[in-house]
Amino acid sequence: MTFFILQVLPYIAVMIFIVGMVWRLCRWLKTRNVHNVVLTPTPKTSCGVAVRYVKEIFLFRSLFNGDKSLWAGAWIMHVTLAGIIGGHIVGFAFLGQQFIYMGVSADTSVFLSKLLGTTFGVILAVALLYLLYRRLSINEAKLTSYFADYMHLILLLGIVSAGNFMRLVPGYSVGFEVPKIYMIQLATFQPVTIDPLMNTAFIIHLLLVQILLIIFPFSKLVHLVGIFVNRLTVDRSYVEPAPGMPVANAGVSVGNAASSGKKTT
Amino acid sequence: MSVNKYTAPAMAKEKEMRALSIIPVSDENKVKEALKHLKHLVRKFRPLMLAMESCTKCGHCAENCHTYLGTRDSNNIPTNRADLFRKAWKATHTLEGRVFGKLVGAEPLTLDTINKMYAYFYQCNECRRCALVCPFGIDTCEVTFAGRQLLHWLGMVPSLHASVGEAMYRTGNHTGLPKPGLVDTCEFLEEEILEESGVDIKIPIDKPDSDVLYIPSSADFLLNPETMMGAARFFHYLGINWTMSSAIAEAGNFGLLFDQRYTLRFNTMRLLDEVIKLNIKKVVWGECGHGWRAGKMYVPSMTDRPVPVPIVHLHDETAHYIRTGQLKLHPEVNNKPITLHDPCNFSRACNLGAKLREVLNPCVTDFREMTPNHERNFCCGGGSAILFDDPGMYDLRIKFSAKKAEQIRATGIGENGDGYLVAPCSICKAQFYPILEEHDLGVQVKGLIDLVGNALYPPINI
């Protein structure tokens, strides 16, 4: 079983994730923006639209303007999650020595790497717990939630808890080198040499991540891509036609018909 | 016709649907037909597809929807309203729905769901406040549009909408007024203006070789005559060579509200034909929220020919002439306490929010903003013409406007019983006439151009 989780399932999970996401994106891009359904007031220039787009996607602007507590929970959750995913890539690749390039010693770098990872991990767990609590306690959230909505949070909590367990409980840490070697072996299609019995927490962590990857393209988690596509639909620039009506005996200019919006069908 | 256990408006009879060239589908075939339309619609419209597949059900839209706030009916939470569509989509067209079913919110379509759709898609005001607050920009209004389209193809349209659609085919306006009726009304209004402000102002219909075609809401001929007179005063003041057309004396376009194919296109083409016939140089739209959205955003994507002239809104123009100092206004004639209701389509779909204030401020002496305002404003509760008089539906209209009443009350304009609520939209006005009484607000409804007209030509008997 552990052999399957360590050596076989990763390939299946990654394949399903990639193919699934490409399929989902193609399915969305095959649809059309038939009418102009921009949300106003809208920026006048593409530059303004780009600023709005970045604010919406990376700062959750609409949520911030509406519900500060949900914004706090959701934004912190997403930012720490992104930080942790980035930390996994950089930390394991550089064996925790990435901060050397910022001018600190190798020991300090490893210390910083561990500190950041642990802090983010704990904050992420708290944020996820808050989101779960919110779904269970606020009536409107309960009315809109399905079983799957709770399960997604619980799955993420499981992954994060296993990760935090390895960080915080002495003796369960896998260090930097073991995962790095394991990843290289997987990526180069070699048999993995990791000891299957060495660390149950690691196996659980890995298994849950693979389950997440497999369900990702077939769940609401695709909102990761959806937000990019949908925001392009409702946040667009719009140039108003020139005002001023023709007057019988004066030369008030009339606006240009072509400026009033592109044909989209 | 099946009996609907949900609170729903009276449905058009087969005869009324045939007048719209639709043959109602029998109950046995409804589910099969609906699934066909569902697939077609979701595969075509991107905002709809994304509403189906990328909602995270965070529930943020709930507290931002006045229909939910007024009724506390969980089906009126925007994301749950979209679920009427989403459940069937998931059950038939997604892997997760086919494997996990109800656990992920998938449910096969049934006749009961279709009846529920008819009830709840006609309890949506299509105000887009949910789209504004959604972190992903998911627009439940798009789901309602699609839902109503599907219901239209099944032959399920409220009597009100069907009869308005039919009147539009027949006469070119929603009230069904033929040309002599329009001309008579205009002559009567000309006399009114002469009496009130001592100025001889013409209100022309079908005047050839006019420069500007004014598209009024047909309700302005009967229900809101002051709006018609205000527009006439404004054009007259600037010496514009303007006219209205008896073939398209209608700013509204119910195609947007129940049939975004033939009905929407038919009304649009009718406008363009008239532009050519009367040799028009610019089209100016009157005070109608959904109609202006159709005019501004849907004309370019619906017409079969390029749009030959610019189409602007009346308040794009009034704002322009006020900004450039070409109007001499007498704000002292509008000295009542006044608040402004932002029509949803103006503020969230047509970029007019700031301009309405540019126009209103110099025309009045005591303007008080309601909160929230601009694009965060709440709907009047009549949006998308759910102005039904059936007892159950009328009761819902009162509930849908509860939030609005609360906002108006907070401005304090009705304390002496002489406040003005400026609502530059025919549907808002039609909703407010009875609803302000129901909430006992001590407030009268006015159009925005009414006040501009008054401020341009002060009444002679005050």
Side-chain angles (χ1 to χ4, degrees):
Chain A
M1 186 63 194
T2 35
F3 171 77
F4 178 74
I5 294 170
L6 286 170
Q7 180 81 71
V8 182
L9 194 58
Y11 296 116
I12 299 174
V14 170
M15 275 311 290
I16 290 179
F17 177 74
I18 293 172
V19 173
M21 287 310 282
V22 169
W23 169 79
R24 177 75 64 174
L25 196 60
C26 288
R27 171 175 161 117
W28 287 350
L29 294 182
K30 268 196 281 184
T31 59
R32 291 184 295 142
N33 282 323
V34 178
H35 303 295
N36 187 348
V37 295
V38 67
L39 269 172
T40 67
T42 166
K44 287 190 181 63
T45 59
S46 310
C47 214
V49 173
V51 171
R52 167 84 57 94
Y53 195 61
V54 167
K55 275 190 190 165
E56 288 288 0
I57 291 172
F58 296 103
L59 300 175
F60 301 1
R61 171 181 167 273
S62 292
L63 209 51
F64 183 80
N65 290 338
D67 182 343
K68 298 281 191 291
S69 60
L70 174 57
W71 174 83
W75 192 75
I76 291 171
M77 184 284 237
H78 283 87
V79 164
T80 48
L81 182 58
I84 286 172
I85 293 171
H88 272 63
I89 296 167
V90 176
F92 290 127
F94 291 89
L95 298 176
Q97 316 234 330
Q98 64 273 23
F99 295 111
I100 288 180
Y101 302 102
M102 288 166 66
V104 300
S105 70
D107 283 351
T108 318
S109 177
V110 171
F111 172 74
L112 275 176
S113 193
K114 283 182 175 167
L115 180 72
L116 271 175
T118 310
T119 316
F120 271 39
V122 172
I123 298 175
L124 176 56
V126 173
L128 282 168
L129 278 173
Y130 168 72
L131 291 179
L132 186 60
Y133 163 77
R134 183 185 164 278
R135 260 195 207 281
L136 290 166
S137 66
I138 293 180
N139 189 36
E140 280 72 32
K142 261 195 293 192
L143 288 172
T144 57
S145 298
Y146 292 111
F147 181 72
D149 299 317
Y150 302 108
M151 287 317 287
H152 291 134
L153 285 170
I154 289 168
L155 178 60
L156 278 170
L157 264 174
I159 294 171
V160 174
S161 307
N164 286 343
F165 184 80
M166 285 186 278
R167 287 256 182 222
L168 297 169
V169 179
Y172 278 93
S173 173
V174 284
F176 288 102
E177 264 174 54
V178 174
K180 183 178 180 178
I181 294 167
Y182 171 59
M183 279 299 156
I184 289 174
Q185 286 169 337
L186 272 184
T188 52
F189 301 100
Q190 293 169 31
V192 295
T193 54
I194 198 167
D195 173 11
L197 297 174
M198 65 146 203
N199 193 333
T200 325
F202 180 71
I203 306 287
I204 291 175
H205 186 66
L206 201 65
L207 174 65
L208 293 180
V209 168
Q210 294 175 43
I211 292 175
L212 181 72
L213 284 177
I214 291 168
I215 65 161
F216 201 100
F218 309 102
S219 66
K220 65 165 189 178
L221 299 172
V222 288
H223 70 274
L224 171 70
V225 183
I227 188 169
F228 287 89
V229 182
N230 212 18
R231 278 285 154 200
L232 281 180
T233 303
V234 292
D235 293 328
R236 293 179 165 202
S237 59
Y238 191 91
V239 180
E240 302 285 336
M245 290 178 288
V247 176
N249 48 8
V252 179
S253 67
V254 182
N256 180 5
S259 68
S260 63
K262 274 178 286 184
K263 198 166 165 72
T264 49
T265 21
Chain B
M1 282 294 133
S2 56
V3 180
N4 206 331
K5 69 180 182 206
Y6 305 100
T7 309
M11 206 187 288
K13 303 271 184 303
E14 175 162 356
K15 196 172 141 227
E16 290 169 271
M17 287 315 295
R18 279 179 178 271
L20 301 174
S21 308
I22 290 280
I23 302 166
V25 175
S26 67
D27 277 357
E28 304 84 73
N29 293 325
K30 266 182 185 159
V31 171
K32 201 177 90 212
E33 286 293 304
L35 284 173
K36 220 161 61 186
H37 301 324
L38 177 93
K39 181 176 169 188
H40 166 78
L41 289 163
V42 180
R43 291 228 165 146
K44 177 170 179 184
F45 294 100
R46 185 169 301 162
L48 181 60
M49 172 66 101
L50 284 152
M52 294 298 106
E53 302 200 339
S54 67
C55 174
T56 58
K57 308 288 283 180
C58 69
H60 185 213
C61 43
E63 290 288 345
N64 286 291
C65 176
H66 61 288
T67 68
Y68 175 69
L69 292 177
T71 57
R72 295 285 162 184
D73 178 342
S74 71
N75 289 306
N76 274 328
I77 296 176
T79 181
N80 287 4
R81 196 189 311 277
D83 266 358
L84 295 172
F85 229 68
R86 199 185 282 125
K87 281 178 178 169
W89 174 255
K90 279 193 171 170
T92 41
H93 293 281
T94 67
L95 184 68
E96 66 272 25
R98 269 176 273 178
V99 177
F100 295 110
K102 277 191 178 171
L103 297 180
V104 296
E107 224 176 274
L109 190 67
T110 59
L111 188 59
D112 181 60
T113 318
I114 293 176
N115 288 333
K116 204 170 165 186
M117 278 186 188
Y118 177 71
Y120 286 100
F121 284 138
Y122 282 98
Q123 286 185 32
C124 171
N125 286 120
E126 302 185 338
C127 78
R128 301 185 87 203
R129 205 168 187 278
C130 44
L132 177 84
V133 300
C134 176
F136 311 106
I138 291 172
D139 194 347
T140 304
C141 174
E142 292 292 313
V143 184
T144 300
F145 280 158
R148 291 185 181 187
Q149 180 76 68
L150 178 146
L151 292 168
H152 172 65
W153 285 334
L154 295 181
M156 300 169 79
V157 175
S159 219
L160 172 71
H161 290 67
S163 63
V164 163
E166 188 272 332
M168 187 69 198
Y169 289 143
R170 189 162 39 84
T171 60
N173 63 71
H174 289 170
T175 38
L177 274 173
K179 184 173 176 181
L182 297 176
V183 173
D184 271 2
T185 314
C186 289
E187 280 167 6
F188 172 73
L189 293 178
E190 286 168 1
E191 284 162 27
E192 283 284 300
I193 297 178
L194 188 62
E195 214 170 281
E196 273 179 27
S197 27
V199 204
D200 186 16
I201 294 176
K202 290 278 164 271
I203 305 183
I205 299 249
D206 292 338
K207 184 158 67 71
D209 289 320
S210 301
D211 293 332
V212 166
L213 175 62
Y214 176 58
I215 307 287
S217 163
S218 61
D220 296 353
F221 288 97
L222 305 167
L223 275 171
N224 326 307
E226 287 183 49
T227 302
M228 182 65 81
M229 295 193 285
R233 286 174 170 127
F234 170 70
F235 288 125
H236 179 82
Y237 186 93
L238 289 168
I240 307 291
N241 175 20
W242 70 293
T243 189
M244 292 185 287
S245 154
S246 59
I248 178 91
E250 183 54 71
N253 190 338
F254 271 37
L256 187 79
L257 309 179
F258 74 87
D259 175 21
Q260 296 199 350
R261 292 294 172 84
Y262 184 71
T263 309
L264 185 58
R265 192 185 300 275
F266 179 87
N267 298 357
T268 300
M269 292 311 292
R270 204 166 172 135
L271 167 74
L272 293 199
D273 291 348
E274 221 39 32
V275 164
I276 304 294
K277 198 171 111 195
L278 297 170
N279 199 15
I280 296 299
K281 299 193 181 67
K282 192 167 197 175
V283 175
V284 175
W285 220 270
E287 291 189 354
C288 174
H290 85 278
W292 178 227
R293 186 177 182 198
K296 180 172 183 157
M297 297 302 184
Y298 286 72
V299 165
S301 48
M302 283 313 283
T303 52
D304 297 326
R305 299 191 294 266
V307 183
V309 294
I311 301 176
V312 296
H313 193 267
L314 181 60
H315 292 306
D316 288 327
E317 295 298 340
T318 48
H320 166 72
Y321 285 103
I322 286 174
R323 205 182 306 133
T324 51
Q326 297 182 56
L327 303 184
K328 188 173 164 17
L329 297 158
H330 304 267
E332 65 279 2
V333 298
N334 296 318
N335 57 1
K336 301 280 196 299
I338 287 173
T339 190
L340 172 68
H341 163 71
D342 287 88
C344 309
N345 283 297
F346 282 2
S347 57
R348 278 187 286 275
C350 294
N351 225 356
L352 264 179
K355 281 180 187 154
L356 296 181
R357 284 153 182 85
E358 265 186 73
V359 176
L360 183 58
N361 264 316
C363 292
V364 302
T365 52
D366 182 7
F367 171 46
R368 305 175 197 174
E369 280 282 9
M370 62 172 82
T371 335
N373 49 49
H374 281 81
E375 71 275 14
R376 300 198 79 80
N377 194 28
F378 281 98
C379 173
C380 61
S384 79
I386 57 170
L387 302 163
F388 306 111
D389 287 333
D390 330 34
M393 292 306 289
Y394 185 75
D395 188 44
L396 280 176
R397 277 169 66 191
I398 299 175
K399 287 180 177 162
F400 291 170
S401 58
K403 188 73 198 172
K404 188 87 263 163
E406 188 187 309
Q407 280 181 282
I408 296 170
R409 212 169 267 128
T411 63
I413 58 157
E415 272 160 14
N416 300 323
D418 64 347
Y420 282 178
L421 169 66
V422 175
C425 162
S426 265
I427 287 177
C428 299
K429 285 172 196 162
Q431 161 80 349
F432 281 136
Y433 287 137
I435 292 303
L436 291 177
E437 303 288 316
E438 299 287 350
H439 290 291
D440 196 18
L441 290 167
V443 172
Q444 262 188 61
V445 194
K446 294 281 168 186
L448 180 50
I449 197 70
D450 314 19
L451 303 183
V452 177
N454 269 342
L456 284 174
Y457 294 102
I460 43 181
N461 294 324
I462 54 165

